[in-house]
Amino acid sequence: MVKFSKELEAQLIPEWKDAFVDYRDLKKQIKKMKVSKIISKPSQHPDGDFGVSIFDSIRFFAKKISDKFQNSENETDIIQVKCKSIDDGEDGVYVTDLSQLFNEEDEAKQFFKKLDNELNKVNQFYKEREDELHKKRENLNKQLQSILDLNQILNKRRRKNSMPSLNGGNSPRSWSSPDRSSSFSESSIELAESPEMSETEEVLAALERNGVYFMDSGTRTKAKNGKPKMAMKIDSPGNTPRSATSIVYEDMINHLKKESSGEFINPKKVQCFEKKIRGAFMELYKGLGLLRTYSSLNMKAFVKIMKKFDKVSNQNASECYLKAVKESHFISSDKVVRLMDEVESIFEKHFANNDRKKAMKFLRPQQRKASHMVTFFVGLFTGCFVSLFTVYALLAHLMGIFYGGRRKDYMNTVYPIFSMFALLSLHLFMHGCNLFMWKSKRINYNFIFESSPKTALTYRDAFLMCTTFMTIVVGALVIHLLLGASGYPQGPVDAIPGLLLLLAFSMLVCPFNIFYRPTRYRFIRIIRNIVCCPFFKVALVDFFMADQLTSQIPLLRHLETIACNLLARNFRTHHYETCSDVKLFQELTYVISFFPYYWRAMQCARRWFEEPKGEHLGNMGKYVSAMVAAGAKLTYERNKDDHVWFAMVLVTSGVATVYQLYWDFYRDWGLLRSTSTNLWLRDNLILKNKSIYYMSMALNAVLRVAWLETTMKIDKDSEKKLLDFLLASLEVIRRGHWNFYRLENEHLNNVGKYRAVKEVPLPFGEIDSDG
């Protein structure tokens, strides 16, 4: 059975960690009271009682029954939990009065004072989040009403222009239908039907009914008929650079300039607004669910801690205190449940075509069940990989491809493809190990990565992808050897690595719902966010993936080599020196080596732009120093006899390594805290064995300085390639090792300061409730 403290750590929201009951501290106080024997126990036998009588058992049970009845009569006098009003009289503060609980009253008061503080903290936080979510719901309802008004205007104009003879078709439909009409609050929507009212005035009236105004230097102007005029300024503090109000306004201006008939509100833009509203409702529902989880976990904590207290104190104080907890706001309030019901009904009506099952798939995605078939295929492909690799090694040895004249051509043909897929598979294997460790240590990685429980990868899935990749790659290598030995033309045979790369790319972009399509498409979106990082808001999963790319620079360089060989048709001509001797290829090597660090630096710059903190600039400096070190190493590889560049490599790489080690240990892992209760670690640790943290720091430092091997002068090209592959593999292993402690620190301390509920940019910004 899992201890409640572990369950609490696994389910708590990192952003709200300080608002949860301090369960560990309360448990420590109870243990302290028990160990120091502050709570006195009554003696079992009175003085002068010698020997044992046959009536002792009868007296014992009679005393137990009398004590039980006496306690039931006086249990209301043991403790009294009162809710005292503060100055404004709105909120209550819980205070416990002790009457006859212990002789050592000071310790009891200290415990219950701490308990009262925790209860008041939970209550206050719950009220603040509840009010915040209630305001969001009101704002979203107004936003939704505005979109429905625009849709109704759009549909009315469409019917008037295209089907003037038809007056029907008013049945409620969801926005997924072509006309996207809706029955939401239709009784309250009264659009002007007067023929003299233009479409521009109609849109203005619809927006202003929901609190969205067009202003001219802060002053509203009206026409003679009392309707608001359209002015040159919009009063809408949108959360995005261009809010929906400004887009609608631009459409109006363009319509007045052209003086053309027909629709001027772009339906595609309205659909974009609808998607934002749908996402905002999903985030609101997620926030309500997290708040309900917050309430239930804290209630469990109070029950557990009071049961422990009763067991130690031999008193029945829990019943009275838990009664007060149940009457407190975070338990007694049903506002969150009512808000969830409202959101479900709205989402079902307007975003799921009145299909509740479909609505619940969006609002409450179910976690995917573990399949034993995945485990079976992992074992199957692992066995196939080992067998095929053994066959490949025997064939390669018998055919003598690793020595003699064929060695150079074979390494140029096969090495880049094999190394690329080997590094990718190793990274997937390390990710599978990370997923296994995060799950076993109850680190809420799905919540941190904002992954859907229904489509999130498990460690079995990662191992399956890894073994499948390597089985296909080694199988392709065996086929390549067999066809080459059978006398097939060398050109088609050497095209097999290119076909393998084409197969991998096809699997990545495959539109069919196979091969983990949600994961593949999410990976593509994350890569897009990384490449265009200055233009997208940086989420934790974005910079986490960008950090992975900084460890896969050799993979990117292999991809460059393969692309060059394919474009230059080197697999047919076997002139592989064409790519390495071309100046453009050499310059692209610098660019590709810089790209991952550049993307990560731009992410830091974007975060600093959104939140001007020095730590973002410091993090950006780390990646800039890595770029300088990478450039120096590339230049030294081309000038091995130049001692100046050798010194530059030592200096730049040394500075970058020290910088990276500091950031790894102090910032990313949260270690090396001089004030921590755990020597040079941090206060909160998930692993019980502290020595593991010290060994991990030493291992990370050793793998960080593996670049020293690149300064060795190796004449043979094949040996240099094998050394590069070994160093690249060690860097992937170091990154997988780094990933565990980075996410552990994020789970415990919310280092990235990311919100539990995302702020979705709304189409019309904040709408004033007073209109």
Side-chain angles (χ1 to χ4, degrees), residues 33 45 63 144 230 234 304 315 419 439 554 631 652 762:
M33 295 165 68
H45 299 284
K63 187 175 183 302
L144 181 59
M230 184 177 62
I234 303 165
K304 293 285 185 182
Q315 297 286 347
S419 298
K439 183 179 180 181
T652 56
L762 298 178

Side-chain angles (χ1 to χ4, degrees), residues 99 189 453 459 687:
S99 55
I189 302 175
Y459 67 92
L687 302 179

Side-chain angles (χ1 to χ4, degrees), residues 735-750:
R735 179 60 63 181
H737 174 255
W738 177 92
N739 289 342
F740 173 79
Y741 296 101
R742 175 64 183 88
L743 219 67
E744 178 205 22
N745 192 29
E746 187 68 35
H747 175 80
L748 293 174
N749 302 314
N750 190 23

Side-chain angles (χ1 to χ4, degrees), residues 126-141:
Y126 187 88
K127 289 176 184 176
E128 291 174 358
R129 296 287 83 75
E130 189 181 62
D131 293 340
E132 178 185 329
L133 293 172
H134 181 72
K135 290 178 182 177
K136 282 186 179 181
R137 194 265 300 171
E138 290 181 347
N139 190 26
L140 279 177
N141 283 347

